[in-house]
Amino acid sequence: HLDKSAQKSLTSLSLQLADVARVLGSDDLAGYVKQLPAMRSALGSFLTASHAADGGPLHDFSSGTADPADLATARLQFAVISTAVADLARTNDVVHQQGLHVFECPMAPGIGNGRWLQRDGTIKNPFYGSQMPDCGEELDVGADAAKAHTDS
C-alpha cells in the first residue's frame, strides 16, 4: 500500500489525468500539449514518492514523455499512462475519495483494454474522441452504488 506522500501524489496525478482525458476526448491536441508540463510534473512526483517506476507500467515514462507530433501519438502515449494510473487509483481508493469515474475501452490504441479517469460520469472516450465518444463502459458502478447505499 502507498504511504501518505505517494497517496497524495497519486491523487494529484489522477486528477491531472482526468483533465488530460477531457481534452483528448475533445480531439484537442493543442490542449493536450498545454497540459503535458503539469502531467509530467505530477507523474514525476508520483514516481519519486512511490517507486512505482521500478519495473511497473509507468517505468517507460520515468524519464519523461515526448511531445507528440499528432493526436494518434498523443493517444497512444496517454493510453499506457492513463491505464496504469487508473488501476492504481482504483486499488488505492483515490477514485472513491475524489469522486472520480473509471471507464474502460476494449480497443485502446496499442494496448487493447485501456482505462481512464473522468471527473464526471458521462463517458467521453479520450482514445477516439469524436470518432467514438461513447465507446467503453464505466467500471465499479455497481460497487460504488452499493457502498453508497450501505453508507447511508
Side-chain angles (χ1 to χ4, degrees):
H1 216 67
L2 298 176
D3 66 26
K4 217 172 201 157
S5 167
Q7 185 77 16
K8 189 175 176 202
S9 57
L10 176 60
T11 299
S12 298
L13 179 58
S14 298
L15 293 169
Q16 181 64 43
L17 288 180
D19 293 341
V20 173
R22 191 182 70 244
V23 297
L24 283 178
S26 301
D27 301 329
D28 183 358
L29 180 62
Y32 177 76
V33 171
K34 201 168 155 182
Q35 297 234 18
L36 274 177
M39 182 176 94
R40 286 182 183 124
S41 172
L43 182 59
S45 296
F46 173 67
L47 292 174
T48 301
S50 69
H51 309 292
D54 302 340
L58 294 170
H59 176 74
D60 293 347
F61 300 100
S62 56
S63 57
T65 51
D67 279 5
D70 53 36
L71 211 45
T73 306
R75 286 178 164 145
L76 202 59
Q77 182 184 75
F78 178 72
V80 177
I81 296 172
S82 175
T83 299
V85 172
D87 291 347
L88 285 165
R90 287 172 79 198
T91 57
N92 290 284
D93 209 30
V94 171
V95 170
H96 180 69
Q97 289 173 359
Q98 298 298 318
L100 292 170
H101 299 263
V102 183
F103 291 90
E104 183 172 70
C105 169
M107 305 183 308
I111 60 171
N113 277 335
R115 288 167 290 290
W116 74 94
L117 298 163
Q118 284 187 193
R119 291 180 185 256
D120 65 67
T122 306
I123 189 169
K124 194 171 183 191
N125 188 313
F127 308 133
Y128 292 100
S130 60
Q131 285 182 305
M132 291 190 290
D134 55 2
C135 179
E137 65 180 338
E138 187 167 0
L139 302 177
D140 303 332
V141 182
D144 286 350
K147 185 171 179 8
H149 186 69
T150 56
D151 286 350
S152 56

